[in-house]
Amino acid sequence: MELIVFTNNGQTYHFNDVTNFRPTTTGFSFSYTGKATGVTRQTVFNNTSTAGYALREVKE
């Protein structure tokens, strides 16, 4: 999956190879693989700092 996160301060973050996307009680969490490093990481975003997100399933 592909995920774009929009923050309240106007920043935009783009994540590729997103897995395990899960809403939480305070936001959402997911795993992704870094494009430059190839390292898989897990992250959490809080609803108070995000304006929204766009999630798209990539068909290969």
Side-chain angles (χ1 to χ4, degrees), residues 29-58:
S29 67
F30 59 92
S31 298
Y32 70 96
T33 302
K35 194 172 191 178
T37 63
V39 176
T40 300
R41 294 183 169 96
Q42 182 159 346
T43 189
V44 177
F45 278 86
N46 193 310
N47 283 337
T48 59
S49 62
T50 57
Y53 62 85
L55 187 62
R56 178 175 78 107
E57 187 157 347
V58 178

mmCIF file of all heavy atoms in Angstrom, residues 29-58:
data_model
loop_
_atom_site.group_PDB
_atom_site.id
_atom_site.type_symbol
_atom_site.label_atom_id
_atom_site.label_comp_id
_atom_site.label_asym_id
_atom_site.label_seq_id
_atom_site.Cartn_x
_atom_site.Cartn_y
_atom_site.Cartn_z
ATOM 1 N N SER A 29 -1.286 3.476 13.273
ATOM 2 C CA SER A 29 0.067 2.928 13.215
ATOM 3 C C SER A 29 0.212 2.084 11.960
ATOM 4 O O SER A 29 -0.785 1.628 11.388
ATOM 5 C CB SER A 29 0.363 2.087 14.457
ATOM 6 O OG SER A 29 -0.435 0.936 14.469
ATOM 7 N N PHE A 30 1.455 1.880 11.535
ATOM 8 C CA PHE A 30 1.711 1.056 10.356
ATOM 9 C C PHE A 30 3.197 0.736 10.270
ATOM 10 O O PHE A 30 4.024 1.342 10.952
ATOM 11 C CB PHE A 30 1.252 1.765 9.074
ATOM 12 C CG PHE A 30 1.905 3.099 8.827
ATOM 13 C CD1 PHE A 30 3.050 3.205 8.064
ATOM 14 C CD2 PHE A 30 1.351 4.258 9.351
ATOM 15 C CE1 PHE A 30 3.646 4.430 7.827
ATOM 16 C CE2 PHE A 30 1.928 5.495 9.126
ATOM 17 C CZ PHE A 30 3.079 5.584 8.358
ATOM 18 N N SER A 31 3.518 -0.216 9.416
ATOM 19 C CA SER A 31 4.910 -0.549 9.090
ATOM 20 C C SER A 31 5.173 -0.106 7.662
ATOM 21 O O SER A 31 4.260 -0.085 6.831
ATOM 22 C CB SER A 31 5.136 -2.060 9.199
ATOM 23 O OG SER A 31 4.906 -2.508 10.508
ATOM 24 N N TYR A 32 6.419 0.249 7.384
ATOM 25 C CA TYR A 32 6.802 0.650 6.030
ATOM 26 C C TYR A 32 8.262 0.312 5.812
ATOM 27 O O TYR A 32 9.021 0.127 6.758
ATOM 28 C CB TYR A 32 6.566 2.151 5.805
ATOM 29 C CG TYR A 32 7.517 3.032 6.573
ATOM 30 C CD1 TYR A 32 8.663 3.533 5.970
ATOM 31 C CD2 TYR A 32 7.294 3.352 7.908
ATOM 32 C CE1 TYR A 32 9.551 4.328 6.667
ATOM 33 C CE2 TYR A 32 8.168 4.136 8.615
ATOM 34 C CZ TYR A 32 9.293 4.629 7.985
ATOM 35 O OH TYR A 32 10.179 5.405 8.691
ATOM 36 N N THR A 33 8.662 0.235 4.552
ATOM 37 C CA THR A 33 10.058 -0.003 4.196
ATOM 38 C C THR A 33 10.617 1.277 3.602
ATOM 39 O O THR A 33 10.057 1.827 2.654
ATOM 40 C CB THR A 33 10.173 -1.156 3.185
ATOM 41 O OG1 THR A 33 9.580 -2.323 3.762
ATOM 42 C CG2 THR A 33 11.618 -1.440 2.836
ATOM 43 N N GLY A 34 11.711 1.765 4.186
ATOM 44 C CA GLY A 34 12.344 2.995 3.706
ATOM 45 C C GLY A 34 12.861 2.837 2.289
ATOM 46 O O GLY A 34 13.536 1.849 1.980
ATOM 47 N N LYS A 35 12.562 3.803 1.455
ATOM 48 C CA LYS A 35 12.972 3.739 0.053
ATOM 49 C C LYS A 35 14.495 3.826 -0.093
ATOM 50 O O LYS A 35 15.094 3.085 -0.855
ATOM 51 C CB LYS A 35 12.298 4.876 -0.720
ATOM 52 C CG LYS A 35 12.362 4.748 -2.203
ATOM 53 C CD LYS A 35 11.500 5.805 -2.853
ATOM 54 C CE LYS A 35 11.337 5.543 -4.321
ATOM 55 N NZ LYS A 35 10.460 6.519 -4.961
ATOM 56 N N ALA A 36 15.126 4.708 0.644
ATOM 57 C CA ALA A 36 16.573 4.888 0.526
ATOM 58 C C ALA A 36 17.358 3.831 1.296
ATOM 59 O O ALA A 36 18.425 3.411 0.858
ATOM 60 C CB ALA A 36 16.969 6.278 1.017
ATOM 61 N N THR A 37 16.825 3.387 2.441
ATOM 62 C CA THR A 37 17.584 2.480 3.310
ATOM 63 C C THR A 37 17.219 1.013 3.137
ATOM 64 O O THR A 37 18.018 0.142 3.450
ATOM 65 C CB THR A 37 17.356 2.842 4.781
ATOM 66 O OG1 THR A 37 15.978 2.661 5.093
ATOM 67 C CG2 THR A 37 17.781 4.269 5.072
ATOM 68 N N GLY A 38 15.979 0.744 2.706
ATOM 69 C CA GLY A 38 15.516 -0.633 2.601
ATOM 70 C C GLY A 38 15.185 -1.251 3.945
ATOM 71 O O GLY A 38 14.932 -2.447 4.041
ATOM 72 N N VAL A 39 15.178 -0.441 5.010
ATOM 73 C CA VAL A 39 14.916 -0.915 6.363
ATOM 74 C C VAL A 39 13.421 -0.823 6.655
ATOM 75 O O VAL A 39 12.790 0.194 6.368
ATOM 76 C CB VAL A 39 15.710 -0.076 7.395
ATOM 77 C CG1 VAL A 39 15.373 -0.481 8.809
ATOM 78 C CG2 VAL A 39 17.200 -0.208 7.143
ATOM 79 N N THR A 40 12.854 -1.890 7.235
ATOM 80 C CA THR A 40 11.443 -1.887 7.611
ATOM 81 C C THR A 40 11.309 -1.339 9.027
ATOM 82 O O THR A 40 12.029 -1.756 9.931
ATOM 83 C CB THR A 40 10.851 -3.305 7.532
ATOM 84 O OG1 THR A 40 10.981 -3.770 6.183
ATOM 85 C CG2 THR A 40 9.387 -3.311 7.932
ATOM 86 N N ARG A 41 10.383 -0.390 9.188
ATOM 87 C CA ARG A 41 10.160 0.253 10.485
ATOM 88 C C ARG A 41 8.668 0.303 10.779
ATOM 89 O O ARG A 41 7.849 0.217 9.877
ATOM 90 C CB ARG A 41 10.698 1.679 10.467
ATOM 91 C CG ARG A 41 12.191 1.768 10.317
ATOM 92 C CD ARG A 41 12.651 3.221 10.395
ATOM 93 N NE ARG A 41 14.092 3.306 10.510
ATOM 94 C CZ ARG A 41 14.901 3.490 9.475
ATOM 95 N NH1 ARG A 41 14.419 3.624 8.265
ATOM 96 N NH2 ARG A 41 16.202 3.551 9.661
ATOM 97 N N GLN A 42 8.349 0.494 12.054
ATOM 98 C CA GLN A 42 6.959 0.709 12.457
ATOM 99 C C GLN A 42 6.851 2.117 13.018
ATOM 100 O O GLN A 42 7.771 2.596 13.695
ATOM 101 C CB GLN A 42 6.522 -0.298 13.516
ATOM 102 C CG GLN A 42 5.071 -0.096 13.879
ATOM 103 C CD GLN A 42 4.443 -1.313 14.499
ATOM 104 O OE1 GLN A 42 4.994 -2.402 14.436
ATOM 105 N NE2 GLN A 42 3.290 -1.133 15.094
ATOM 106 N N THR A 43 5.742 2.787 12.729
ATOM 107 C CA THR A 43 5.552 4.155 13.211
ATOM 108 C C THR A 43 4.124 4.364 13.683
ATOM 109 O O THR A 43 3.229 3.607 13.329
ATOM 110 C CB THR A 43 5.921 5.173 12.110
ATOM 111 O OG1 THR A 43 5.927 6.477 12.659
ATOM 112 C CG2 THR A 43 4.957 5.102 10.950
ATOM 113 N N VAL A 44 3.944 5.403 14.479
ATOM 114 C CA VAL A 44 2.636 5.767 15.011
ATOM 115 C C VAL A 44 2.431 7.257 14.794
ATOM 116 O O VAL A 44 3.340 8.054 15.065
ATOM 117 C CB VAL A 44 2.542 5.449 16.521
ATOM 118 C CG1 VAL A 44 1.210 5.906 17.091
ATOM 119 C CG2 VAL A 44 2.768 3.976 16.779
ATOM 120 N N PHE A 45 1.274 7.645 14.288
ATOM 121 C CA PHE A 45 0.902 9.047 14.159
ATOM 122 C C PHE A 45 -0.266 9.320 15.100
ATOM 123 O O PHE A 45 -1.178 8.507 15.228
ATOM 124 C CB PHE A 45 0.477 9.382 12.727
ATOM 125 C CG PHE A 45 1.642 9.648 11.813
ATOM 126 C CD1 PHE A 45 2.285 8.609 11.171
ATOM 127 C CD2 PHE A 45 2.069 10.949 11.568
ATOM 128 C CE1 PHE A 45 3.354 8.848 10.316
ATOM 129 C CE2 PHE A 45 3.134 11.196 10.723
ATOM 130 C CZ PHE A 45 3.780 10.145 10.094
ATOM 131 N N ASN A 46 -0.245 10.471 15.734
ATOM 132 C CA ASN A 46 -1.279 10.885 16.661
ATOM 133 C C ASN A 46 -2.292 11.764 15.935
ATOM 134 O O ASN A 46 -1.907 12.613 15.120
ATOM 135 C CB ASN A 46 -0.634 11.661 17.818
ATOM 136 C CG ASN A 46 -1.564 11.863 18.956
ATOM 137 O OD1 ASN A 46 -2.686 12.311 18.768
ATOM 138 N ND2 ASN A 46 -1.113 11.541 20.150
ATOM 139 N N ASN A 47 -3.583 11.596 16.219
ATOM 140 C CA ASN A 47 -4.629 12.385 15.571
ATOM 141 C C ASN A 47 -4.491 13.883 15.811
ATOM 142 O O ASN A 47 -4.910 14.681 14.981
ATOM 143 C CB ASN A 47 -6.016 11.926 16.035
ATOM 144 C CG ASN A 47 -6.435 10.640 15.380
ATOM 145 O OD1 ASN A 47 -5.958 10.275 14.314
ATOM 146 N ND2 ASN A 47 -7.333 9.910 16.026
ATOM 147 N N THR A 48 -3.900 14.283 16.928
ATOM 148 C CA THR A 48 -3.787 15.715 17.209
ATOM 149 C C THR A 48 -2.767 16.405 16.309
ATOM 150 O O THR A 48 -2.799 17.618 16.164
ATOM 151 C CB THR A 48 -3.402 15.968 18.688
ATOM 152 O OG1 THR A 48 -2.171 15.327 18.963
ATOM 153 C CG2 THR A 48 -4.472 15.453 19.626
ATOM 154 N N SER A 49 -1.861 15.644 15.694
ATOM 155 C CA SER A 49 -0.844 16.249 14.835
ATOM 156 C C SER A 49 -1.088 16.002 13.343
ATOM 157 O O SER A 49 -0.346 16.514 12.515
ATOM 158 C CB SER A 49 0.542 15.740 15.212
ATOM 159 O OG SER A 49 0.619 14.350 15.015
ATOM 160 N N THR A 50 -2.107 15.237 13.007
ATOM 161 C CA THR A 50 -2.382 14.946 11.595
ATOM 162 C C THR A 50 -3.697 15.576 11.154
ATOM 163 O O THR A 50 -4.690 15.545 11.869
ATOM 164 C CB THR A 50 -2.436 13.440 11.318
ATOM 165 O OG1 THR A 50 -3.420 12.844 12.142
ATOM 166 C CG2 THR A 50 -1.110 12.782 11.567
ATOM 167 N N ALA A 51 -3.664 16.160 9.962
ATOM 168 C CA ALA A 51 -4.873 16.733 9.373
ATOM 169 C C ALA A 51 -5.652 15.662 8.613
ATOM 170 O O ALA A 51 -6.856 15.781 8.433
ATOM 171 C CB ALA A 51 -4.514 17.882 8.445
ATOM 172 N N GLY A 52 -4.942 14.623 8.154
ATOM 173 C CA GLY A 52 -5.597 13.545 7.423
ATOM 174 C C GLY A 52 -4.580 12.659 6.738
ATOM 175 O O GLY A 52 -3.374 12.856 6.853
ATOM 176 N N TYR A 53 -5.102 11.666 6.020
ATOM 177 C CA TYR A 53 -4.224 10.773 5.283
ATOM 178 C C TYR A 53 -4.952 10.212 4.078
ATOM 179 O O TYR A 53 -6.174 10.209 4.021
ATOM 180 C CB TYR A 53 -3.692 9.639 6.170
ATOM 181 C CG TYR A 53 -4.737 8.712 6.746
ATOM 182 C CD1 TYR A 53 -5.208 7.631 6.011
ATOM 183 C CD2 TYR A 53 -5.245 8.915 8.019
ATOM 184 C CE1 TYR A 53 -6.155 6.778 6.539
ATOM 185 C CE2 TYR A 53 -6.195 8.073 8.555
ATOM 186 C CZ TYR A 53 -6.654 6.997 7.812
ATOM 187 O OH TYR A 53 -7.596 6.154 8.341
ATOM 188 N N ALA A 54 -4.166 9.757 3.108
ATOM 189 C CA ALA A 54 -4.684 9.104 1.919
ATOM 190 C C ALA A 54 -4.001 7.744 1.818
ATOM 191 O O ALA A 54 -2.779 7.662 1.863
ATOM 192 C CB ALA A 54 -4.407 9.935 0.677
ATOM 193 N N LEU A 55 -4.783 6.709 1.693
ATOM 194 C CA LEU A 55 -4.273 5.345 1.652
ATOM 195 C C LEU A 55 -4.711 4.717 0.343
ATOM 196 O O LEU A 55 -5.888 4.787 -0.021
ATOM 197 C CB LEU A 55 -4.810 4.561 2.845
ATOM 198 C CG LEU A 55 -4.294 3.161 3.098
ATOM 199 C CD1 LEU A 55 -2.803 3.184 3.359
ATOM 200 C CD2 LEU A 55 -5.034 2.561 4.292
ATOM 201 N N ARG A 56 -3.776 4.109 -0.377
ATOM 202 C CA ARG A 56 -4.092 3.510 -1.671
ATOM 203 C C ARG A 56 -3.425 2.160 -1.788
ATOM 204 O O ARG A 56 -2.229 2.010 -1.503
ATOM 205 C CB ARG A 56 -3.589 4.418 -2.809
ATOM 206 C CG ARG A 56 -3.839 3.863 -4.193
ATOM 207 C CD ARG A 56 -3.422 4.861 -5.245
ATOM 208 N NE ARG A 56 -1.996 4.888 -5.434
ATOM 209 C CZ ARG A 56 -1.381 4.388 -6.497
ATOM 210 N NH1 ARG A 56 -2.059 3.841 -7.466
ATOM 211 N NH2 ARG A 56 -0.072 4.449 -6.594
ATOM 212 N N GLU A 57 -4.198 1.172 -2.176
ATOM 213 C CA GLU A 57 -3.630 -0.159 -2.415
ATOM 214 C C GLU A 57 -3.014 -0.168 -3.795
ATOM 215 O O GLU A 57 -3.646 0.193 -4.789
ATOM 216 C CB GLU A 57 -4.706 -1.243 -2.314
ATOM 217 C CG GLU A 57 -4.119 -2.605 -2.376
ATOM 218 C CD GLU A 57 -4.993 -3.660 -1.747
ATOM 219 O OE1 GLU A 57 -5.950 -3.295 -1.053
ATOM 220 O OE2 GLU A 57 -4.705 -4.827 -1.957
ATOM 221 N N VAL A 58 -1.762 -0.564 -3.875
ATOM 222 C CA VAL A 58 -1.034 -0.601 -5.126
ATOM 223 C C VAL A 58 -1.166 -1.995 -5.718
ATOM 224 O O VAL A 58 -0.803 -2.982 -5.085
ATOM 225 C CB VAL A 58 0.453 -0.237 -4.913
ATOM 226 C CG1 VAL A 58 1.217 -0.337 -6.215
ATOM 227 C CG2 VAL A 58 0.567 1.146 -4.301
#
